[in-house]
Amino acid sequence: MKKLLLTALLSTLAAAALAEYPEKAITIVVPFAAGGPTDKVARDLGVVLSQKLGQPVIIENVGGAGGTLGAAKVAKAAPDGYSLLLHHIGMATSPALYRNMPYKTLEDFEYLGMINEVPMTVVGRPTLPANTFAELQKWLEANKGKINLANAGLGAASHLCGLLFQQSLKIDMTTVPYKGTAPAMNDLLGGQVDIMCDQTTNTTGQIEAGKIKAYAVTTPKRLTTPALSKLPTLDESGIKGFNVSIWHALYAPKGTPKAAMDKLNTALRASLKEPDFIKRQEALGAVVITDARTGPAEHKKFVEAEINKWGPAIKAAGQYAD
């Protein structure tokens, strides 16, 4: 009898604790250095999420190994709702890029919901003779073996987009990796490399200034941004089904109580509707997600589909990290 009473008491106390969640600050781990696009998304989200939850939201940067170090830290954290992970497309590409993963993407996390998507653009050096995508495709065909394709490093958005772009066109290009987007863009501006596929957050300003040539966007629909609205999609340009965007989403350690998950997801969905947050994301060239992927089930289904999409492309290219 005493044991039953004790068990009932503990269950009541646990339920009460969850009902009061959150009672202290929540930490969002960003698996990259401060100041980058993912860090900016996390800090913008943290402001509104804090307002919705009534507790401080602290951003902790844990960079290294393409985002896997920070993700591993959250996977191993206490599943109490106070340690979260905000990650980008690397959540889906890391399983193929890294031979020795310190966690299992689909098994070691609770999926909270997606946040935004950032479109990408196919751009070229200012002296490239092609002015339209059709002309670019002819130029690429005529210059096989001579084309330099820049990217910001293994696993970067530009690297992943470039891989899929090459495979879709069935044209091998010399991949030129850099230590970040800035040096890659500098060499594109200077004509040292020919083309690059990169996020609108990194290319829109250069396109507006007329410093690089823009050929297409990688999303299924054309963009509405003034500088990019006239660019065709790769799908309408003949590369059917091409769809690449860099997305961000929120995760918790596996086993986080449902009551905490429900509160976090409710707060996340409410945050994504805040006009100020939407405005800040638009300034980054990002589109806030409003569909069912803001919920756990569709979020996880989407990530699984992304793993299945990127895995074969990365493995076919034979580009791995230890």
Side-chain angles (χ1 to χ4, degrees):
M1 178 65 77
K2 287 183 178 180
K3 187 175 181 179
L4 288 174
L5 288 172
L6 180 60
T7 301
L9 178 60
L10 290 173
S11 297
T12 301
L13 290 172
L18 286 175
E20 294 170 4
Y21 170 87
E23 296 182 294
K24 60 181 181 179
I26 295 168
T27 296
I28 295 180
V29 172
V30 174
F32 305 102
T38 303
D39 179 70
K40 183 68 169 66
V41 172
R43 293 181 189 278
D44 286 347
L45 180 66
V47 172
V48 284
L49 207 55
S50 175
Q51 295 168 357
K52 304 301 179 186
L53 292 169
Q55 292 291 346
V57 172
I58 299 166
I59 306 302
E60 181 183 359
N61 298 93
V62 183
T68 59
L69 291 183
K73 180 172 182 176
V74 175
K76 296 171 184 175
D80 55 11
Y82 292 101
S83 293
L84 307 178
L85 171 71
L86 194 150
H87 207 338
H88 64 18
I89 192 173
M91 196 71 170
T93 58
S94 291
L97 282 169
Y98 292 87
R99 291 187 175 93
N100 301 306
M101 287 279 287
Y103 55 85
K104 294 180 179 179
T105 303
L106 295 173
E107 298 175 24
D108 292 345
F109 297 92
E110 300 290 353
Y111 285 63
L112 276 164
M114 297 184 66
I115 301 165
N116 69 9
E117 290 180 301
V118 183
M120 304 193 74
T121 48
V122 176
V123 294
R125 56 179 165 84
T127 54
L128 207 61
N131 292 308
T132 65
F133 184 77
E135 291 176 1
L136 175 66
Q137 195 164 359
K138 289 180 181 178
W139 183 86
L140 293 172
E141 289 281 355
N143 288 275
K144 288 181 179 179
K146 303 175 185 178
I147 306 154
N148 291 322
L149 172 67
N151 69 54
L154 183 69
S158 50
H159 169 230
L160 299 169
C161 186
L163 281 181
L164 206 58
F165 185 62
Q166 290 183 78
Q167 291 174 9
S168 298
L169 289 176
K170 295 181 174 59
I171 298 175
D172 289 332
M173 306 176 195
T174 300
T175 300
V176 184
Y178 291 82
K179 292 183 179 179
T181 298
M185 179 58 74
N186 285 339
D187 273 9
L188 187 72
L189 290 165
Q192 283 78 29
V193 289
D194 299 310
I195 59 172
M196 182 163 66
C197 182
D198 204 10
Q199 299 178 62
T200 55
T201 50
N202 300 322
T203 62
T204 302
Q206 304 293 356
I207 293 170
E208 286 179 322
K211 293 183 178 180
I212 56 175
K213 292 190 174 183
Y215 297 103
V217 294
T218 64
T219 46
K221 295 181 180 179
R222 291 196 182 200
L223 305 180
T224 57
T225 309
L228 308 175
S229 60
K230 293 182 180 180
L231 292 180
T233 67
L234 286 174
D235 181 85
E236 70 181 270
S237 299
I239 308 180
K240 296 300 179 184
F242 198 101
N243 181 14
V244 177
S245 60
I246 302 306
W247 43 266
H248 294 90
L250 202 62
Y251 309 82
K254 187 69 175 179
T256 299
K258 185 178 185 301
M261 289 289 296
D262 288 345
K263 285 193 175 183
L264 286 166
N265 181 252
T266 298
L268 173 63
R269 289 181 190 242
S271 297
L272 299 183
K273 295 177 181 178
E274 282 293 325
D276 186 59
F277 179 75
I278 294 171
K279 184 178 179 180
R280 287 176 179 273
Q281 295 308 293
E282 288 176 345
L284 293 174
V287 178
V288 174
I289 293 175
T290 58
D291 57 43
R293 291 174 297 168
T294 58
E298 290 301 317
H299 172 197
K300 188 170 185 178
K301 188 185 296 184
F302 176 82
V303 174
E304 189 168 8
E306 287 283 276
I307 289 172
N308 293 334
K309 178 172 85 172
W310 288 108
I314 293 168
K315 289 174 183 176
Q319 297 182 17
Y320 305 100
D322 293 329

